[in-house]
Amino acid sequence: MADIPVRCFAVSVVLLRVVDGQPEVLLLRRNRTLVGEWCQVAGAIENGEKAWEAALREVKEETGLACHRLYSADICEQFYEADRDAISLLPVFVGLVKPHAAVVINHEHSEFRWVSFEEALTMVPFAGQRHVLRHVKAEFVEREPNRHLLIMAAQ
């Protein structure tokens, strides 16, 4: 019997801001893999790096933003990769950023948009992403996040 490997090599980050009392999610249009698709921040975990450290680094590299709070989303994004015949499991983080902080995207993306959760659900291509967005809205917007999920808060 053949086994399907489970790989955990990257992170996913849902970035949130609140403008005029309304929560918004940052989506990035990809240039490399999944060209043209809208996605949240994601990237590989480097050697010696904790997953939450990778999340902060990827946010900075892909958007130029700094999170003033970072939470574990208490969920993983998971998907099957046919080319590798493997299941990828990515821990998801929620990063809160200042409402008017400037986004500066890197070469991995062609554009960005701050959108409502409702709009984000229509833009992302995969059911797993929609599941993550619904979870983040329920646990980080519609209620106070569980204090035990807080990883980092700016002083």
Side-chain angles (χ1 to χ4, degrees):
M1 172 165 71
D3 291 332
I4 298 175
V6 175
R7 304 171 352 121
C8 184
F9 64 96
V11 297
S12 176
V13 186
V14 177
L15 288 179
L16 302 178
R17 73 176 186 179
V18 178
V19 176
D20 297 327
Q22 298 303 310
E24 295 179 333
V25 178
L26 182 66
L27 293 182
L28 308 168
R29 182 167 264 174
R30 301 184 103 184
N31 272 340
R32 290 181 168 177
T33 57
L34 302 173
V35 175
E37 298 293 355
W38 290 97
C39 298
Q40 63 276 26
V41 171
I45 302 168
E46 295 179 353
N47 286 336
E49 196 173 47
K50 292 180 172 74
W52 66 268
E53 292 169 330
L56 290 174
R57 179 183 48 75
E58 288 291 340
V59 166
K60 190 70 166 168
E61 288 176 3
E62 293 188 12
T63 70
L65 296 171
C67 299
H68 64 86
R69 286 187 178 271
L70 182 73
Y71 292 89
S72 165
D74 198 27
I75 193 171
C76 288
E77 190 173 334
Q78 58 191 25
F79 48 90
Y80 173 74
E81 294 180 277
D83 59 335
R84 292 186 171 102
D85 191 31
I87 296 168
S88 289
L89 194 61
L90 282 64
V92 178
F93 297 90
V94 176
L96 305 182
V97 300
K98 301 288 183 189
H100 301 292
V103 176
V104 179
I105 55 174
N106 69 2
H107 64 281
E108 297 175 53
H109 306 96
S110 60
E111 62 182 301
F112 72 91
R113 287 192 198 159
W114 285 105
V115 297
S116 68
F117 275 92
E118 292 70 25
E119 189 172 0
L121 290 170
T122 69
M123 294 171 68
V124 296
F126 300 110
Q129 290 173 295
R130 290 187 290 278
H131 177 70
V132 165
L133 288 170
R134 286 185 194 102
H135 172 82
V136 169
K137 183 180 181 193
E139 297 299 324
F140 292 86
V141 174
E142 295 173 350
R143 62 184 296 165
E144 189 70 26
N146 183 310
R147 64 185 174 87
H148 300 292
L149 299 176
L150 181 65
I151 296 169
M152 188 260 341
Q155 303 300 338

